[in-house]
Amino acid sequence: MIADPAASPPPVSSLWLAVLIFAVAAFPLLLTPIIPAVDFNSHLLRYLILADDGATPYLARNYTPDWKLVPNLGLDLMASLLLKFLPPLTAGKVIAASLLLSLYGGTLLLAHAVQGRLRIMTVILAGFLMHNHIYTWGFANFLLGVGIGLAGLAVWLKTSNNPRRQLALAIAIGAILMLVHALAFGIWGIMLAAFELGRAIEARDLGLRSLSLRALRLAAIAVIPVITFLLSATADAPQGVTSSISNILTHAENGDLAQRLLAECVSRLDLLLRITDTRLPWADRMVGLSLWALIIGGMLSCALKLTPQVRVPILVITAMALLIPPNLFGSGYVNDRFPLLLMCLIISSLAAVSPHRLARPALYAASALLAVHLSLVTVQYWRAGRYFDDYIQAVSKVDTGDTTGFIAFSGAGRDELSPLCSPSLILLALVNHSSVQTFVLPTQQPLKLDGKLAAAMQALARQKLKKDSTIGAEAPSTAWRQTRIQQYLTAGFDSVLVCDGAGPPPGTDVVRNIAHGDTWAIYRFTR
């Protein structure tokens, strides 16, 4: 049975515990000048440009707001308004905190709708969701969309006794979700369908007429989002639905399909362990393994149980986590996002069986593990703060010019160094007023490049960047890295920021190092 809409409100102790856990999780944001996340700060720069609207010369010379209908406008609209009143770095922390709250609050709202109350175990387990691998990658619009979607599921369940109100609210939530993030809307629709199927199975109401009516109601929710998508620039994206089929055929022709599929399976299993994220891969895997062991062991011992109506959605999202292609509708890393959704559903429906002798030990174990996880997060943010403080002090003393390019060598990809590399580039825009590369896909962002920055990007694209024989190795050769730096400067960038886990390459007679740290350096032509 779905929880009664008139169920009693959460106990005060659960609410205060939820507030306390959120405060502890948000505290690390105060320890660093900029959020250590891969893509987040590139989005923050775009919000600043949109809010500035050409008022600041160094931004107006190289960026132009290009407002248009794309299904990823949620934070662009809200954050650009916020940045009219707050400094960029302060606004960044407010936005980051709102993403933590969105996912945490959405999971707790769904838990209350599913279970009829907010349980202490649920509040504690939901605390693991805030600092997750998707948050560290900085998929801001998607995280906001997931939080809204989870809250939307709660509304759907809470209003099940009033079908007209339920449908009206769902249509409004669906329209909002499409503007926030198209993929988040699609996933929300799938979860809605899974909940409805679960309800039909539970009620043994699987007749053709009944299932057709449920399907029609769900289709009505999708009308506005589908029209919005078709009218948006994203509908014309060249990537299509997915490139998975062509990728599979390519691997089959190369004879390495079996090896690639095995690597993909290992990667997806690893993603299940690295849901919690502190930028310490070994620690994240240990915390993730312990969390899964606690949940699975608790269910096997009957100390924890899943609420029945969430079983079908959990099965559906589990299947998608295993089978969904990496790229879909122009979005990358799609498969990486489903383990987080799976954990949100499990936690929202997991309850401790109070009479069971292991229920209290499970609660204590979850509390201790959460304390370890949040302590690791705090330490890593403190370290990131020291890194960025030293970086700001160093770069503020040099002239990086009007435009700065960005190269990541062994620090490329989404590893533990990446959340430091990308913010370092954006800090050059905020501290040194140097225009830098950022997201400007015309089918996804309401922004375009202009001036010297656009010319440098176009010139770089025309160059044939030579590949090094060590390109697949841990660190490319020094000569090849120096060549890449010179190519960026030749394209027209005034300076180049290099992020290199192997240590920045030395300068040459042509290129000089004007500032550097252990893993980064800035280069300009020698005059």
Side-chain angles (χ1 to χ4, degrees):
M1 294 289 291
I2 293 174
D4 190 303
S8 59
V12 174
S13 58
S14 298
L15 287 175
W16 279 112
L17 179 61
V19 171
L20 175 62
I21 290 176
F22 172 74
V24 173
F27 171 74
L29 304 181
L30 303 177
L31 302 179
T32 176
I34 194 168
I35 305 302
V38 180
D39 290 349
F40 176 82
N41 296 287
S42 292
H43 294 307
L44 178 61
L45 176 60
R46 184 175 74 255
Y47 306 150
L48 174 62
I49 296 166
L50 295 175
D52 185 74
D53 198 24
T56 304
Y58 90 93
L59 293 175
R61 282 195 299 269
N62 294 292
Y63 308 101
T64 300
D66 185 26
W67 289 105
K68 56 193 169 188
L69 181 61
V70 291
N72 299 302
L73 286 178
L75 275 177
D76 289 80
L77 293 168
M78 292 182 285
S80 59
L81 178 61
L82 181 66
L83 277 154
K84 291 183 179 294
F85 304 98
L86 291 178
L89 295 181
T90 303
K93 294 180 182 181
V94 172
I95 296 167
S98 71
L99 297 180
L100 297 178
L101 181 60
S102 174
L103 195 64
Y104 188 52
T107 302
L108 295 183
L109 286 172
L110 179 58
H112 189 271
V114 167
Q115 302 184 41
R117 56 176 293 194
L118 193 58
R119 301 173 185 270
I120 297 293
M121 176 61 89
T122 303
V123 171
I124 293 172
L125 291 177
F128 288 96
L129 299 171
M130 285 183 275
H131 290 279
N132 57 74
H133 63 301
I134 301 298
Y135 176 82
T136 298
W137 291 354
F139 296 167
N141 277 296
F142 178 76
L143 282 173
L144 178 63
V146 170
I148 294 173
L150 292 171
L153 288 175
V155 171
W156 180 264
L157 296 177
K158 284 282 191 178
T159 56
S160 60
N161 63 335
N162 189 334
R164 290 185 179 179
R165 184 183 179 193
Q166 182 188 53
L167 183 59
L169 289 173
I171 289 173
I173 293 170
I176 293 171
L177 262 178
M178 175 54 79
L179 286 177
V180 171
H181 199 279
L183 181 60
F185 166 76
I187 293 171
W188 181 67
I190 291 170
M191 290 193 291
L192 271 183
F195 267 102
E196 283 301 290
L197 178 59
R199 292 180 63 193
I201 293 173
E202 185 182 5
R204 298 183 180 180
D205 185 17
L206 297 174
L208 179 60
R209 182 176 181 276
S210 175
L211 292 178
S212 298
L213 287 175
R214 292 178 189 270
L216 284 173
R217 283 168 56 81
L218 294 174
I221 298 170
V223 170
I224 294 176
V226 168
I227 293 174
T228 301
F229 179 80
L230 293 176
L231 292 176
S232 71
T234 309
D236 299 323
Q239 297 96 330
V241 175
T242 178
S243 57
S244 297
I245 300 299
S246 60
N247 290 339
I248 290 173
L249 293 176
T250 300
H251 285 296
E253 291 176 1
N254 295 336
D256 62 349
L257 179 59
Q259 180 181 356
R260 182 67 187 89
L261 290 175
L262 178 60
E264 184 68 19
C265 290
V266 172
S267 173
R268 296 195 181 211
L269 289 175
D270 188 52
L271 282 169
L272 291 171
L273 296 181
R274 294 189 64 181
I275 293 171
T276 59
D277 196 278
T278 62
R279 296 186 298 107
L280 288 173
W282 64 269
D284 298 334
R285 291 186 178 99
M286 292 301 295
V287 171
L289 181 63
S290 300
L291 180 58
W292 280 110
L294 175 66
I295 291 173
I296 295 172
M299 288 192 293
L300 291 176
S301 66
C302 299
L304 301 174
K305 65 176 182 179
L306 285 175
T307 307
Q309 71 259 30
V310 186
R311 290 174 184 170
V312 172
I314 286 175
L315 288 174
V316 170
I317 296 302
T318 300
M320 297 192 74
L322 297 174
L323 301 175
I324 200 76
N327 300 294
L328 196 65
F329 295 114
S331 294
Y333 301 95
V334 174
N335 59 299
D336 293 22
R337 310 176 196 222
F338 279 86
L340 176 62
L341 292 164
L342 175 61
M343 186 61 83
C344 289
L345 286 176
I346 291 175
I347 288 174
S348 68
S349 63
L350 202 63
V353 181
S354 54
H356 199 284
R357 61 184 178 84
L358 295 179
R360 190 171 294 274
L363 184 64
Y364 292 153
S367 302
L369 189 61
L370 179 62
V372 170
H373 168 60
L374 293 179
S375 296
L376 289 170
V377 170
T378 302
V379 170
Q380 287 301 98
Y381 265 72
W382 177 81
R383 289 179 175 174
R386 305 290 73 75
Y387 178 97
F388 291 130
D389 285 339
D390 292 343
Y391 175 82
I392 290 172
Q393 185 175 1
V395 301
S396 61
K397 298 176 182 178
V398 298
D399 178 14
T400 51
D402 185 48
T403 59
T404 301
F406 177 64
I407 308 173
F409 287 122
S410 57
R414 300 175 184 275
D415 60 13
E416 57 268 30
L417 183 59
S418 299
L420 301 179
C421 294
S422 178
S424 297
L425 176 68
I426 304 306
L427 279 171
L428 288 181
L430 301 180
V431 175
N432 283 32
H433 292 177
S434 183
S435 295
V436 301
Q437 301 167 239
T438 189
F439 299 126
V440 288
L441 292 176
T443 58
Q444 295 186 27
Q445 288 93 30
L447 183 70
K448 62 180 181 180
L449 300 183
D450 278 322
K452 189 175 181 180
L453 180 61
M457 292 290 294
Q458 292 166 3
L460 184 66
R462 290 193 295 268
Q463 290 190 21
K464 294 182 178 180
L465 302 181
K466 296 180 181 179
K467 291 188 177 181
D468 183 64
S469 59
T470 62
I471 188 64
E474 187 68 23
S477 68
T478 298
W480 184 77
R481 288 182 289 164
Q482 290 171 333
T483 299
R484 288 293 302 275
I485 294 167
Q486 188 169 337
Q487 286 173 325
Y488 269 68
L489 293 173
T490 302
F493 290 102
D494 293 321
S495 59
V496 179
L497 170 64
V498 170
C499 187
D500 196 345
T508 66
D509 292 340
V510 179
V511 175
R512 63 189 174 99
N513 180 324
I514 63 171
H516 68 275
D518 293 336
T519 58
W520 65 272
I522 299 176
Y523 300 87
R524 296 197 70 166
F525 270 135
T526 300
R527 301 300 182 189

